[in-house]
Amino acid sequence: MAAPDRVALDLQARVLDRVLRQIRFWVPNWYNPNYWVATWDVYSRPAEPPKYGLGQMAVWWYDTEKADKLRAAGVLK
């Protein structure tokens, strides 16, 4: 972007390409519109949400029974 002209830009792009190929750096060329998050199942919520609730996060809680089961299985510290 800071190249003074097209010739310098092409040269810098080729140099960058050679460097990235030398160290086998992988640049993804695809897009995933989803955001994946993996968590342990240590939270609970009521089977039916409250009629006048303040949103999702207001009705979730930390479930010590689930956490204890995961600790006993050795997957949670």
Side-chain angles (χ1 to χ4, degrees), residues 13-44:
R14 288 176 189 229
V15 169
L16 178 62
D17 184 55
R18 284 187 182 180
V19 169
L20 293 177
R21 287 180 187 212
Q22 182 76 22
I23 60 174
R24 298 180 184 202
F25 196 86
W26 182 66
V27 179
N29 60 351
W30 51 272
Y31 171 72
N32 185 357
N34 301 319
Y35 185 74
W36 298 347
V37 177
T39 61
W40 296 113
D41 185 20
V42 293
Y43 299 101
S44 292

